[in-house]
Amino acid sequence: MASFLFHLILCLLLFLLPSCSVAQTGRDVRVGDSLTAAAENSSWISPSGEFAFGFYQLESNKDLYLLAIWYAKIQQRTIVWYANEGILAPKQSKVELNSSQGLVLIDDRGNQLWTSPTKSGVVAFGSMRDSGNFVLQDSSSDMLWESFNDPADTILPGQYYYPKTSAGDQNWTALWSQPDDICISNRVTTGSGTCGYNSICTLQTDKRPSCHCPDGYSLLDPNDSYGACKPNYTQICGEDEGGPVENLYDFEELTNIDWPEADYALLQPFNEGQCRQSCLHDCLCAVAIFRSGDMCWKKSCHSQMVE
């Protein structure tokens, strides 16, 4: 039997929000922001601190730097991406975010060494994501450039390799991806996973994840399409504050959706009607999963929903 997710449209999810911490995105890199190759750490960090973008100082020559992305939490800082085909930059080189050219790397004498191959448009901001992808977006959050589409010698989970066709044109064909389904493979016990809290993760035909908020929710940060979702309503919970719950609340039914890592009660044997009523009258219940004909899983916020 297919799994059903009963999503309380009005108050039940919101009741939990004061006690549910929502992951915050890291500071966006704004036009005009820059980094300088110097002895001190010069980098932009992803929200979790997992990845860093900036100048990587060579151990063998402290006066040379590589503009790169690396794992920032481990002692051996492993590089996963680099710019300018790996050509090193001297000390006091600078990378700056430019509205027309994107990322611009210049050396200590002002000579331009590299620019990100940005699509036509005006760059509004950049960000280092927890996936290891550094992205540039316009004011409408449309993607203008991302390091995942300009790979070096490392492919990260969720990154895809698109070689050109043999005809030599600009069409690309996806050969493989790892993992096969990032929405399922990237479930975590801490943090939100591929998409933000309360967001639905769907795998597209090109193996890329698509994140969207359920009905009645919107992005916490409109500029981050992979971010957390917040309800668009005010909490009311309890008959004394508006009448019987049956007159106040309703369910949205979604098929083949799960809300992992948020269980707090399993009721069995329960039928579908009992599952609905139990969640409806429980202010801790944000979602009910009914499966196998007699199992009712009651869940709290927050989690990433996956198809």
Side-chain angles (χ1 to χ4, degrees), residues 8 39 43 55-56 61 64 78 105 112 142 146-147 159 163 191 206 209 211 244 248 278 295-296 298:
L8 294 184
S43 60
F55 286 104
Y56 185 97
N61 188 334
L64 293 177
T78 304
L105 174 64
Q112 182 172 298
D142 291 331
E146 53 184 311
S147 60
Q159 187 174 0
D206 63 358
C211 304
L248 297 175
S278 179
M295 298 174 65
C296 177
K298 294 202 294 187

Side-chain angles (χ1 to χ4, degrees), residues 70-280:
W70 61 86
Y71 281 106
K73 281 189 172 182
I74 59 178
Q75 186 174 5
Q76 185 66 36
R77 298 188 303 170
T78 304
I79 293 174
V80 299
W81 178 89
Y82 49 81
N84 199 25
E85 298 182 344
I87 298 175
L88 300 174
K91 189 175 182 178
Q92 296 303 318
S93 294
K94 183 172 75 170
V95 61
E96 181 175 342
L97 184 58
N98 182 294
S99 61
S100 59
Q101 295 177 285
L103 294 168
V104 180
L105 174 64
I106 59 174
D107 65 17
D108 55 338
R109 297 183 179 182
N111 299 312
Q112 182 172 298
L113 303 179
W114 173 84
T115 61
S116 55
T118 307
K119 294 180 182 178
S120 176
V122 178
V123 176
F125 62 93
S127 58
M128 180 70 254
R129 293 184 171 173
D130 285 331
S131 61
N133 192 18
F134 192 92
V135 303
L136 301 180
Q137 295 172 272
D138 63 17
S139 58
S140 299
S141 296
D142 291 331
M143 199 74 70
L144 299 181
W145 178 81
E146 53 184 311
S147 60
F148 270 14
N149 283 348
D150 189 19
D153 57 5
T154 301
I155 301 295
L156 292 171
Q159 187 174 0
Y160 307 92
Y161 179 53
Y162 294 93
K164 290 184 179 180
T165 62
S166 58
D169 57 27
Q170 295 301 310
N171 296 319
W172 299 81
T173 302
L175 294 183
W176 58 272
S177 66
Q178 182 65 32
D180 185 61
D181 187 341
I182 193 172
C183 291
I184 296 176
S185 299
N186 207 25
R187 291 184 184 181
V188 293
T189 55
T190 58
S192 64
T194 303
C195 298
Y197 295 116
N198 307 323
S199 179
I200 300 176
C201 183
T202 304
L203 192 70
Q204 301 180 96
T205 56
D206 63 358
K207 299 294 186 178
R208 287 180 176 272
S210 172
C211 304
H212 64 278
C213 298
D215 289 343
Y217 288 74
S218 60
L219 287 170
L220 185 66
D221 179 358
N223 293 321
D224 184 5
S225 60
Y226 293 92
C229 300
K230 61 181 178 64
N232 299 329
Y233 46 81
T234 303
Q235 172 194 342
I236 301 174
C237 191
E239 295 188 5
D240 293 339
E241 299 184 28
V245 291
E246 289 82 1
N247 296 338
L248 297 175
Y249 316 130
D250 200 357
F251 291 95
E252 179 185 358
E253 183 175 311
L254 304 175
T255 59
N256 299 319
I257 301 288
D258 198 5
W259 186 296
E261 310 299 338
D263 310 329
Y264 71 88
L266 169 61
L267 305 176
Q268 189 180 25
F270 254 50
N271 60 37
E272 181 180 322
Q274 291 173 317
C275 189
R276 286 174 176 263
Q277 287 300 309
S278 179
C279 185
L280 185 63

